Amino acid sequence: DTYRLTRGEDYTESVSGVCSGTDTEFTVDFLNTNYPNVPATLTGGHNGRVGNSWYSHAGLATGICFVQSADDCAAVCKAVDGCKHFSTSLTQACYACFIHKTCDNPSTAIGYGYTTYSMPPNDGGWASDSP
């Protein structure tokens, strides 16, 4: 399936689980230095909480807790240069949004309810819905 965000970005559901082993693709230090406002400005505060700071789950991925929205997670991925995939759960606490450059090793070991999505290619993107 292809989804269109209200912000105009497209993304497609690719696999169940999280792109594991990508925690070194985007380090917390790199994200805090280059994208410090993304957690607060691009996450909608679902469950009464705004996405908190960047964090890494060792051996798994780097992301933000309390996002609980595929659209918000897609916006986070789009904001971070080099992000090509994102994994999120709408049902499992911490409702994380993990961002990835690659997705060579999807895993469901973290738990239930995570889905990985792919962003459109950077070479002009997908065809527009508009005439």
Side-chain angles (χ1 to χ4, degrees):
D1 293 333
T2 299
Y3 304 91
R4 177 165 294 269
L5 292 165
T6 55
R7 297 179 183 99
E9 302 94 28
D10 289 324
Y11 58 94
T12 57
E13 186 173 331
S14 51
V15 296
S16 293
V18 176
C19 303
S20 65
T22 63
D23 54 315
T24 58
E25 292 180 343
F26 296 108
T27 66
V28 170
D29 286 342
F30 171 81
L31 293 168
N32 281 334
T33 298
N34 296 287
Y35 304 97
N37 297 321
V38 166
T41 59
L42 293 181
T43 61
H46 304 278
N47 267 350
R49 301 174 103 167
V50 172
N52 55 5
S53 62
W54 296 106
Y55 84 101
S56 279
H57 184 128
L60 187 66
T62 302
I64 307 166
C65 275
F66 305 113
V67 175
Q68 201 175 13
S69 163
D71 283 355
D72 286 358
C73 196
V76 168
C77 185
K78 184 176 175 92
V80 176
D81 193 37
C83 181
K84 305 252 188 253
H85 310 276
F86 64 93
S87 305
T88 191
S89 175
L90 307 180
T91 58
Q92 180 175 325
C94 77
Y95 311 106
C97 168
F98 293 113
I99 60 173
H100 321 279
K101 291 180 181 180
T102 62
C103 192
D104 298 330
N105 189 26
S107 173
T108 57
I110 189 174
Y112 58 90
Y114 277 88
T115 302
T116 294
Y117 301 85
S118 296
M119 298 297 284
N122 288 336
D123 59 2
W126 295 327
S128 173
D129 292 357
S130 57

